[in-house]
Amino acid sequence: MEKNESKKKIGIVGGGDRSKELLEIFHKSKGADPVYVVDPDANAPAMTLAMKLGIKTLTKPEMAIKNFSADLILDASESEETSAFLHDNRGTAKIINIDAAMMFLEIMEENRSKANDQVFTDLGGEAVILGLQSEEY
């Protein structure tokens, strides 16, 4: 991300485990600013985390769309009605489906793992670890 580029405001609709996982990533990111999480269940995993992090929590997507701007809205609602509402009322926000978001996350993690394995191999693998261990003793 370039220095003059601002953080992307992220809204999350749906508070399950996958939303929680992405909320954790967004919260730690320099390029994302999670602004709200919506779920009818105030005790949903992402809702609980959002409360702990000081991120706005709401039980109705209508209230989120009406009162908060977002550049991206993560649709984890698993409701055709809610998805249609988000698409119809999103303004300039882009909607990202939770399944697509998780697929990209999995691909990135696979590639990171492959890169780490390659670095390990390029450095001599076990010899490097054994060398480090022997220096510690």
Side-chain angles (χ1 to χ4, degrees):
M1 173 167 285
E2 294 183 23
K3 290 180 184 176
N4 61 353
E5 224 178 296
S6 62
K7 289 184 173 188
K8 296 293 183 190
K9 293 182 180 180
I10 311 286
I12 300 174
V13 179
D17 289 324
R18 298 187 304 168
S19 294
K20 179 184 175 190
E21 181 178 352
L22 289 171
L23 177 58
E24 289 170 335
I25 292 168
F26 294 149
H27 180 69
K28 294 175 186 174
S29 171
K30 293 178 184 176
D33 179 20
V35 291
Y36 63 78
V37 177
V38 179
D39 197 282
D41 178 3
N43 295 315
M47 293 283 278
T48 302
L49 177 59
M51 286 183 244
K52 288 178 185 174
L53 297 174
I55 297 167
K56 187 70 178 166
T57 57
L58 303 111
T59 57
K60 297 182 188 287
E62 298 83 3
M63 296 305 294
I65 296 290
K66 180 180 176 184
N67 295 301
F68 301 95
S69 67
D71 300 304
L72 302 168
I73 300 172
L74 179 67
D75 180 7
S77 66
E78 300 182 6
S79 161
E80 289 182 28
E81 183 179 333
T82 300
S83 292
F85 171 81
L86 294 175
H87 282 276
D88 292 344
N89 296 280
R90 67 185 172 177
T92 60
K94 298 196 178 358
I95 308 293
I96 301 172
N97 177 279
I98 186 74
D99 295 325
M102 295 306 292
M103 181 188 73
F104 287 124
L105 180 61
E106 288 172 15
I107 290 168
M108 289 174 18
E109 287 176 353
E110 285 174 10
N111 285 329
R112 183 179 311 132
S113 177
K114 287 178 186 175
N116 288 344
D117 290 347
Q118 186 61 50
V119 168
F120 183 73
T121 300
D122 290 349
L123 292 174
E126 291 183 38
V128 170
I129 290 175
L130 293 174
L132 291 174
Q133 289 175 341
S134 65
E135 290 176 15
E136 293 175 1
Y137 293 107

